[in-house]
Amino acid sequence: MVYVVIIFLWTAILLYILLGGADFGAGIIELFTSRANRPRMRKKMYEAIGPIWEANHMWLIIVIVILFVGFPKIYTTVSIYLHIPLVCMLLGIIARGTAFVFRNYDAVKDHMQKIYTPIFVISSVVTPFFLGVIAASAVSGQIDLHAQDFVSAYVFSWLSWFSASVGIFTVTICAYLATVFIIGEAENEQDRQLFTRKARRTIFIVMAAGGLVFLAAHSEGIPLLRWIFSDVPGIIALILATISLVITFVLLLRNKPIILRLLAGFQVTMILFAATYSHFPDIILLKGGDNLSLLTHQGQVKTMETLGYALLIGSIFIIPALVYLIYSFQQKRGSKEAH
Amino acid sequence: MDDFLAARLQMAFSLGFHIVFSCIGMVMPFFMCTAHYLWLKRKKAVYLDVTRAWSKGVAIFFATGAVSGTVLSFELGLLWPKFMEHAGPIFGMPFSLEGTAFFIEAIALGFYLYGWNRFHPWFHWFTGVIVGISGLLSGILVVAANAWMNSPSGFDLINGQYLNIDPMKAMFNEAWFSQALHMCVAAFVSTGFAVAGVHALMILKGQNVNFHRKAFQIAAIFGTVAACLQPISGDISAKDVAQRQPAKLAAMEAHFQTEKGAGLIIGGIPDTAAKTVKYAIKIPKALSFMATGDFNAEVKGLDQIPQKDQPPVAVVHYAFQIMVGLGMAMLGLAVIYFIALFKKKNWAESKWMLKLFVIATPMGFLALEAGWTVTEVGRQPWIIYGVMRTADAVTPMPGIAYSFYLFTAVYISLAIIVSLLLFRQITMVDKLYDSSTDKKIQ
Ligand code: HDD
Ligand code: HEM
Ligand code: HEM
């Protein structure tokens, strides 16, 4: 049963990065869009993301619930030592969620929009940044359970070039997902060209940020290369991701929005796979080489069983409904455009 | 401020904030669906307008509720890691099911908000009903988790180890039913009175009266029916508390000495040092009856509880008085409203009736917060009653006071913005929905 739970955990993380990421990305690219194109961009984004928006951050909640029910030691270690970046991320989530709603549901669209929009945009950058920082800090051996003073226990557990670079990388991934996603929403040639140009530019930025991660890892003595290249599945995943990135780049010139979306999703899946596979089942790497493993730190049998069943039963209800939601809005939009 | 106090205050603040939004997010869909139902049946445009206006409210509250809830699921670990380390695997069952319920709610809301004119009208309506039902389910589940903290079960504590965990038994602990029932009814009372009060005010101001009258009627009926059920459910809760947490009951009642045929104390100022209550009204034997159903039964007082296991008496006592007092006031108003509906039709929309509802606008939510203060502070000094002390659960990280200031500032600004937003929704009704002529603009 523990493997069922782990699969759910992994999938929920992936879906949060994909769907939530595209959502954050929408805010990020707004920041990098010229003032003239901004309203159009925003409208398209809202139409595309609106219906599933409410469901998006549910993935994050599922991750948290699985962690505290099934792997409490892992949840509490992260909560204690990464308190500060977690709080930063939470502030981002609060600011973003509320600003999104305010700017779309305010009864009067007036100068208040000038307040909501910057909050929305800034928090769209801050939240995934700290998400990346937290993930990087968890796996890079920075957390020190024996630290004696405040700074080494609660600050240097996450403050490093490596964590920062992974944070930046996460932000660029989100932007990339959003730009690819939005191409499919373009209704005329002009929009399509605008979005395509954006997507190509973001690919370069993602690659640059990826390079930055390796540089930072190298300078801080984190054996990132060895992790990824130490076993075959990791290498394959990375190669596949690279190949599909090239394909994406080529396909950007043609009009194939659905394939592009799938490819982008595939790349992110592969990156997450490569990043997690090599040290599975360890999920937290501590200073001094001790690790917290999903297998040794799982809850008692009965807990894992009920959790597993709860997740399975839950997905029976959720997946068809979610698929139908996405399907029917794609469908209706398609038929509307055909008219 | 010391870190422990800061952590407690931050938790209390976050929950106190979340509860308002989640209750509205839980109950408004039912109002909305009622209006929607009336629109589908009677085809009067005003009902459609009410539905649309309320659905915007639901969206705002759902999102704020979801955001504050997400924060809470992190805060449990950020502030109380030692608690979560042991409690997570035991009381996690309702949380994992709650995840499903939230998810369904979010999906159904997606259908509802974006589904106008896209689906069969009754299917569309039905997705709204699903929003309400799954919201209610989430409420019940999360309260079951809280009830476990009051009556821990489903595990054995052996040498400090939590063994033989049974998550199902933990979920259906002794307190879950009385607490979940009381909570759900409370959500209807507080949202009903708040919404009715706002629309009553707008009728009094003479703005778009037709629209606000319909809205008022729906909210007032829900609120008043629930207000009549609330004392009954409260009585069940009180009997339950008497059995399972005598210290909490004693604090609620400021009942210092154990006695047979104990009297019920109303109001007054408890003096913990002198173990007396000044200026209180005392009804003989009523406490024994309330707690057990027998006028002469013995009720445990604070004297039988070791000093170090006693909750703060004054806070719990005041909070309990406030809750019950407001509950009785709303019950009174409900009775008057029913007389008006069934006997004296001309009272129902009279100025004084509307004014009473305006006065009652905040009462439900005040009672709700007071009730939670009773439950939570009354459980102190325990975080898991009789098992783990709150002081042992707090995070080792210093400097929580700053986090408390930060979150307090955030919550206060959010509260201000949401109020502003609602204010604008309500004042815009005039321009968005012209319901006097049964014709829709917008
Ligand atoms: C609209 C709100 C409201 C109103 C009018 C009342 N209550 Fe209440 N009460 C709550 C809202 C609430 C609550 C906030 O929902 C609590 C907190 C935890 C819970 O389960 O419900 C609560 C808790 C609570 C408890 C503690 C339960 C526990 O710790 O398990 C008792 C004994 C009562 N209530 C009793 C009453 C009585 C006798 C009332 C008579 C009118 C009453 N309540 C009205
Ligand atoms: C939504 C309504 C709720 C309100 C207004 C509320 C209020 C409070 C208050 C006032 C405290 C501080 C008590 C003290 O330290 O003296 C507190 C503590 C706490 N509450 Fe609640 N509570 C609510 C529901 C819940 C629920 C549903 C849970 C868990 C499932 C919960 C978990 C906790 C925890 C873990 C603490 C910290 C430990 C403690 O002080 O006992 N609360 N809450
Ligand atoms: C008595 C206390 C509580 C009640 C009645 C309650 C009820 C609800 C409801 C009905 C919602 C749905 C949001 C809406 O419709 O507006 C919600 C959202 C949420 N609550 Fe609470 N809640 C309580 C306490 C808590 C606690 C203690 C936690 C944390 C562990 C929590 C976690 C969440 C989360 C994560 C969400 C967001 C779900 C989403 O995205 O839809 N809640 N709550």
Side-chain angles (χ1 to χ4, degrees):
Chain A
M1 211 32 128
V2 66
Y3 286 99
V4 174
V5 175
I6 292 175
I7 290 171
F8 270 100
L9 179 63
W10 196 84
T11 316
I13 295 176
L14 176 68
L15 287 170
Y16 185 63
I17 301 178
L18 286 180
L19 301 172
D23 183 12
F24 289 128
I28 301 170
I29 52 178
E30 205 173 306
L31 186 67
F32 295 103
T33 303
S34 64
R35 200 162 294 257
N37 290 330
R38 223 173 261 178
R40 231 169 355 130
M41 194 84 159
R42 186 183 309 159
K43 187 163 162 291
K44 284 268 115 349
M45 273 296 173
Y46 177 66
E47 278 173 9
I49 288 176
I52 56 167
W53 185 83
E54 317 280 353
N56 262 350
H57 59 302
M58 279 310 303
W59 302 111
L60 180 63
I61 294 164
I62 291 190
V63 171
I64 295 304
V65 170
I66 294 181
L67 282 181
F68 78 57
V69 178
F71 311 97
K73 181 77 196 162
I74 292 168
Y75 170 77
T76 52
T77 307
V78 172
S79 305
I80 293 175
Y81 291 94
L82 302 180
H83 192 116
I84 296 170
L86 277 167
V87 166
C88 296
M89 184 182 84
L90 285 181
L91 292 176
I93 289 179
I94 300 180
R96 189 171 189 284
T98 39
F100 177 88
V101 175
F102 292 164
R103 71 179 193 163
N104 290 304
Y105 290 103
D106 199 345
V108 214
K109 300 268 188 288
D110 59 3
H111 60 277
M112 284 301 280
Q113 296 288 334
K114 287 212 188 83
I115 303 176
Y116 306 147
T117 296
I119 296 180
F120 178 74
V121 170
I122 293 169
S123 52
S124 298
V125 178
V126 168
T127 315
F129 176 76
F130 279 103
L131 199 66
V133 167
I134 291 162
S137 315
V139 297
S140 57
Q142 300 177 56
I143 297 176
D144 182 0
L145 297 191
H146 307 291
Q148 292 302 321
D149 58 310
F150 182 85
V151 176
S152 43
Y154 303 109
V155 177
F156 287 124
S157 52
W158 55 274
L159 190 69
S160 73
W161 290 115
F162 179 66
S163 298
S165 65
V166 175
I168 294 171
F169 184 61
T170 316
V171 174
T172 60
I173 290 271
C174 294
Y176 170 60
L177 285 170
T179 48
V180 172
F181 187 77
I182 200 180
I183 293 177
E185 301 298 316
E187 273 167 14
N188 54 39
E189 191 53 31
Q190 190 200 3
D191 275 3
R192 210 177 64 78
Q193 276 179 6
L194 170 74
F195 298 153
T196 309
R197 234 179 302 136
K198 280 233 157 337
R200 291 177 53 197
R201 231 173 279 160
T202 2
I203 290 187
F204 285 114
I205 299 174
V206 171
M207 297 210 296
L212 202 64
V213 172
F214 280 100
L215 274 182
H218 182 73
S219 79
E220 289 182 345
I222 294 164
L224 187 61
L225 286 172
R226 206 188 66 223
W227 288 345
I228 293 177
F229 293 106
S230 61
D231 39 27
V232 181
I235 303 177
I236 296 181
L238 218 63
I239 293 176
L240 287 177
T242 318
I243 296 177
S244 68
L245 197 64
V246 176
I247 303 179
T248 308
F249 205 78
V250 175
L251 280 184
L252 271 179
L253 301 173
R254 320 234 171 95
N255 190 6
K256 293 265 183 295
I258 302 292
I259 300 182
L260 282 176
R261 280 183 197 178
L262 291 177
L263 279 174
F266 177 76
Q267 285 143 19
V268 175
T269 313
M270 285 301 119
I271 294 174
L272 185 68
F273 180 81
T276 47
Y277 183 85
S278 59
H279 38 249
F280 179 82
D282 295 340
I283 178 168
I284 311 280
L285 311 188
L286 301 170
K287 198 169 206 147
D290 280 344
N291 296 336
L292 297 184
S293 142
L294 286 172
L295 295 180
T296 44
H297 289 279
Q298 59 173 299
Q300 291 171 27
V301 181
K302 195 105 180 225
T303 302
M304 298 313 281
E305 248 165 36
T306 26
L307 177 59
Y309 283 118
L311 291 169
L312 286 172
I313 294 171
S315 46
I316 294 177
F317 285 102
I318 290 167
I319 292 172
L322 192 62
V323 170
Y324 184 58
L325 177 70
I326 296 172
Y327 168 81
S328 50
F329 282 98
Q330 289 289 342
Q331 197 72 358
K332 303 277 162 162
R333 198 142 14 89
S335 65
K336 205 173 62 195
E337 277 156 28
H339 285 215
Chain B
M1 186 188 298
D2 100 331
D3 287 328
F4 177 46
L5 185 63
R8 291 166 68 176
L9 286 176
Q10 184 179 331
M11 192 75 204
F13 221 84
S14 312
L15 278 156
F17 186 83
H18 176 69
I19 190 78
V20 174
F21 291 90
S22 56
C23 278
I24 296 177
M26 197 151 85
V27 173
M28 276 303 270
F30 288 100
F31 296 180
M32 179 183 85
C33 289
T34 309
H36 196 162
Y37 178 86
L38 294 171
W39 151 245
L40 290 174
K41 280 285 170 200
R42 301 191 187 162
K43 294 285 171 207
K44 280 194 196 150
V46 56
Y47 286 116
L48 179 62
D49 291 345
V50 173
T51 313
R52 291 235 180 190
W54 275 349
S55 76
K56 279 196 186 163
V58 169
I60 294 173
F61 278 103
F62 182 85
T64 348
V67 166
S68 58
T70 311
V71 173
L72 272 176
S73 58
F74 281 91
E75 272 182 338
L76 284 177
L78 291 175
L79 300 174
W80 314 103
K82 307 265 168 58
F83 162 65
M84 287 310 282
E85 189 172 336
H86 297 294
I90 309 173
F91 85 158
M93 191 60 190
F95 282 111
S96 17
L97 294 175
E98 194 200 9
T100 305
F102 282 150
F103 222 126
I104 293 175
E105 186 181 359
I107 294 173
L109 192 67
F111 274 113
Y112 191 84
L113 291 180
Y114 297 87
W116 288 99
N117 305 326
R118 288 187 165 180
F119 300 106
H120 186 276
W122 285 105
F123 174 77
H124 181 224
W125 174 78
F126 182 68
T127 58
V129 177
I130 300 280
V131 175
I133 292 175
S134 46
L136 210 54
L137 269 180
S138 343
I140 293 174
L141 286 164
V142 78
V143 172
N146 177 269
W148 177 84
M149 296 164 58
N150 284 325
S151 82
S153 58
F155 67 99
D156 296 319
L157 188 65
I158 301 166
N159 296 332
Q161 303 250 48
Y162 296 71
L163 300 174
N164 305 325
I165 291 175
D166 183 348
M168 290 310 274
K169 215 166 138 197
M171 182 161 94
F172 294 111
N173 57 70
E174 276 171 36
W176 86 270
F177 178 74
S178 64
Q179 266 197 263
L181 176 71
H182 199 56
M183 177 71 231
C184 290
V185 180
F188 276 93
V189 175
S190 36
T191 312
F193 274 87
V195 175
V198 171
H199 290 291
L201 183 67
M202 300 311 283
I203 303 176
L204 284 175
K205 284 193 165 173
Q207 286 181 0
N208 216 340
V209 172
N210 192 21
F211 175 98
H212 288 295
R213 187 179 287 150
K214 297 288 189 286
F216 170 78
Q217 281 165 354
I218 296 173
I221 301 254
F222 270 104
T224 48
V225 170
C228 296
L229 301 176
Q230 190 67 342
I232 303 171
S233 147
D235 182 53
I236 300 176
S237 289
K239 291 199 166 46
D240 201 47
V241 171
Q243 273 208 351
R244 109 183 103 77
Q245 289 172 300
K248 184 188 277 182
L249 186 83
M252 275 155 54
E253 277 302 319
H255 179 54
F256 287 102
Q257 263 82 35
T258 307
E259 58 183 329
K260 288 205 168 80
L264 184 71
I265 293 175
I266 296 178
I269 302 171
D271 180 344
T272 331
K275 301 196 186 313
T276 52
V277 186
K278 278 185 229 143
Y279 320 115
I281 307 167
K282 195 158 180 172
I283 308 175
K285 300 201 177 196
L287 178 60
S288 287
F289 181 72
M290 196 184 95
T292 62
D294 170 2
F295 282 107
N296 293 312
E298 184 180 274
V299 179
K300 228 189 212 183
L302 287 163
D303 55 347
Q304 293 214 353
I305 291 146
Q307 189 73 36
K308 67 179 196 340
D309 291 348
Q310 288 185 11
V313 178
V315 177
V316 182
H317 180 67
Y318 293 137
F320 187 63
Q321 305 304 308
I322 292 173
M323 167 173 67
V324 176
L326 292 172
M328 290 303 165
M330 286 183 287
L331 175 67
L333 181 50
V335 171
I336 299 175
Y337 188 64
F338 284 129
I339 296 176
L341 283 187
F342 294 111
K343 292 266 181 246
K344 306 262 186 189
K345 291 266 190 284
N346 56 332
W347 285 9
E349 307 263 305
S350 62
K351 276 223 160 79
W352 60 265
M353 178 71 89
L354 293 171
K355 275 186 189 150
L356 284 179
F357 271 95
V358 173
I359 295 170
T361 311
M363 283 188 183
F365 279 105
L366 290 178
L368 187 86
E369 301 284 1
W372 275 101
T373 310
V374 173
T375 309
E376 299 286 316
V377 181
R379 191 185 58 239
Q380 301 306 315
W382 304 100
I383 188 165
I384 310 174
Y385 186 67
V387 175
M388 183 190 278
R389 283 173 192 273
T390 311
D392 298 332
V394 72
T395 179
M397 190 178 110
I400 297 298
Y402 298 101
S403 143
F404 167 65
Y405 298 138
L406 193 65
F407 276 95
T408 307
V410 169
Y411 282 136
I412 291 176
S413 20
L414 271 187
I416 293 173
I417 302 185
V418 172
S419 321
L420 182 78
L421 219 61
L422 283 184
F423 175 75
R424 305 221 292 191
Q425 290 289 355
I426 293 160
T427 47
M428 284 301 284
V429 160
D430 250 3
K431 306 198 178 64
L432 293 177
Y433 311 102
D434 180 7
S435 303
S436 49
T437 60
D438 269 27
K439 179 184 94 219
K440 246 187 87 224
I441 53 171
Q442 192 201 23

